[in-house]
């Protein structure tokens, strides 16, 4: 597993060491619970061995934190431009996402997310792992007792677009998409290829309705993304949402189309 980057790793290691000591665990007893040798624990704590996400998760198990350290890595390792959207997404009671080319991040499998993130060759392996961990952690909102209502509209092209030789990853992703669509608060709709040109081809976007009733938008671009707060911009995104939603098939027909695509692989 890739390393946790830079100063963040130093902070997390310090917190793990303090918690281990406070709990009365030796490096050996901590290591047994975390799945690492005492010498491995020692070398991480003294800075001669890199902190990895595997070690972070092991520390969470050994210290019974409920995933605290992994959440800290995910939250504070995320790009600063993405933090406002993470906060909006976490508090939203409704989410509406449109994707013309890919499966939406909240509905991705870990293998699919790895494949997508690795397309950016400018990222180190540690940065890839960080980005994937952030994406997987974000999905926890759908497992809450009172999850937001997620409505996802995808262009049919997203069901077919993948790298050569990775058919099994895409097949598993589509099966996962079908399973997620069975949840009462997840709706998946497809814009079929027969529609041709439509407004959504200009690019992906997401809308979050906050508990107080206002909306916040997020638009992805080649350099990251932008959070949209201004009333007129949010209104424009809501209008675009209505446009793409109107082009999409009803739920049952959409799921039937996904099943038809995945049928040769299962």
């Amino acid at each position: 597993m890739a390393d946790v980057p830079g100063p963040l790793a130093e902070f997390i290691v310090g917190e793990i060491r303090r918690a281990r000591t406070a709990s009365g665990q030796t490096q050996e007893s901590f290591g047994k619970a975390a799945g690492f040798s005492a010498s491995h624990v020692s070398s991480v704590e003294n800075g001669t061995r890199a902190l990895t996400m595997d070690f972070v998760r092991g520390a969470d198990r050994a210290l019974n934190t409920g995933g605290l350290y992994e959440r800290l890595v995910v939250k504070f390792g995320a790009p600063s431009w993405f933090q406002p959207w993470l906060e909006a997404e976490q508090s939203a009671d409704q989410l509406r996402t449109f994707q013309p080319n890919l499966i939406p991040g909240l509905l991705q499998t870990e293998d699919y997310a790895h494949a997508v993130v690795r397309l950016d060759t400018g990222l180190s392996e540690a940065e890839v792992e960080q980005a994937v961990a952030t994406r997987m952690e974000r999905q926890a909102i759908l497992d809450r007792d009172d999850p937001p209502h997620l409505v996802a509209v995808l262009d049919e092209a997203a069901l077919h677009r993948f790298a050569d030789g990775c058919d099994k990853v895409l097949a598993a992703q589509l099966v996962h998409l079908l399973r997620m669509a069975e949840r009462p608060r997840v709706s998946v709709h497809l814009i079929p290829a027969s529609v041709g040109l439509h407004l959504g081809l200009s690019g992906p976007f997401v809308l979050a309705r906050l508990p107080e009733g206002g909306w916040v938008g997020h638009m992805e671009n080649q350099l990251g993304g932008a959070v949209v707060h201004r009333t007129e911009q949010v209104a424009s995104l809501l209008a675009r949402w209505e446009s793409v939603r109107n082009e999409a098939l009803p739920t049952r027909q959409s799921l039937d189309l996904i099943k038809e695509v995945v049928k040769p692989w299962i």
Side-chain angles (χ1 to χ4, degrees):
M1 186 66 73
D3 304 346
V4 176
L8 177 62
E10 296 176 15
F11 170 75
I12 296 296
V13 167
E15 293 302 306
I16 290 173
R17 184 194 305 112
R18 277 187 283 274
R20 175 186 65 76
T21 303
S23 69
Q25 296 185 55
T26 64
Q27 290 179 337
E28 182 175 4
S29 61
F30 172 87
K32 285 181 179 178
F36 296 90
S37 67
S39 61
H40 189 120
V41 174
S42 176
S43 61
V44 170
E45 290 189 350
N46 65 32
T48 59
R49 185 189 291 262
L51 176 67
T52 65
M53 288 303 295
D54 275 347
F55 191 93
V56 170
R57 295 183 183 111
D60 279 326
R61 291 193 302 271
L63 297 168
N64 195 28
T65 68
L68 172 63
Y69 295 119
E70 183 175 6
R71 289 197 299 275
L72 286 172
V73 171
V74 167
K75 180 173 178 60
F76 294 108
S80 59
W81 59 262
F82 199 51
Q83 288 294 341
W85 174 251
L86 284 178
E87 294 170 8
E89 188 178 70
Q90 288 292 313
S91 60
D93 56 27
Q94 288 188 35
L95 292 165
R96 298 176 179 176
T97 178
F98 170 71
Q99 265 288 354
N101 298 308
L102 299 169
I103 306 301
L106 289 177
L107 299 175
Q108 291 180 3
T109 65
E110 189 167 356
D111 286 343
Y112 182 94
H114 268 106
V116 170
V117 175
R118 282 198 176 103
L119 292 174
D120 185 348
T121 57
L123 297 179
S124 67
E125 188 62 21
E127 289 169 328
V128 169
E129 293 295 337
Q130 180 66 59
V132 172
T134 299
R135 192 164 300 180
M136 296 300 104
E137 176 66 22
R138 286 168 54 207
Q139 295 178 2
I141 63 172
L142 301 180
D143 295 322
R144 296 189 313 219
D145 291 338
D146 187 24
H149 183 196
L150 170 64
V151 183
V153 173
L154 293 70
D155 195 279
E156 184 184 347
L159 307 184
H160 304 279
R161 180 166 286 111
F162 212 69
D164 291 341
C166 295
D167 290 354
K168 290 183 179 179
V169 173
L170 180 56
Q173 171 61 74
L174 296 184
V175 170
H176 177 72
L177 185 62
L178 289 169
R179 289 173 180 158
M180 293 299 294
E182 293 174 356
R183 298 190 180 195
R185 292 202 178 185
V186 176
S187 302
V188 176
H189 301 271
L190 292 178
I191 298 178
S194 59
V195 169
L197 292 175
H198 59 83
L199 184 61
L201 295 176
S202 298
F205 61 90
V206 192
L207 287 155
R209 193 182 78 166
L210 305 180
E212 61 270 22
W215 289 88
V216 175
H218 181 262
M219 297 184 298
E220 298 177 21
N221 59 56
Q222 288 288 332
L223 298 178
V227 178
V228 177
H229 293 281
R230 291 171 55 185
T231 301
E232 64 274 18
Q233 292 177 324
V234 171
S236 179
L237 283 182
L238 284 168
R240 286 170 179 265
W241 167 261
E242 291 301 322
S243 177
V244 297
R245 179 65 187 85
N246 288 338
E247 296 286 6
L249 297 170
T251 299
R252 183 51 51 198
Q253 290 176 268
S254 296
L255 299 186
D256 286 345
L257 180 53
I258 298 172
K259 292 173 184 176
E260 191 65 29
V261 172
V262 80
K263 186 186 298 183
W265 293 318
I266 59 176

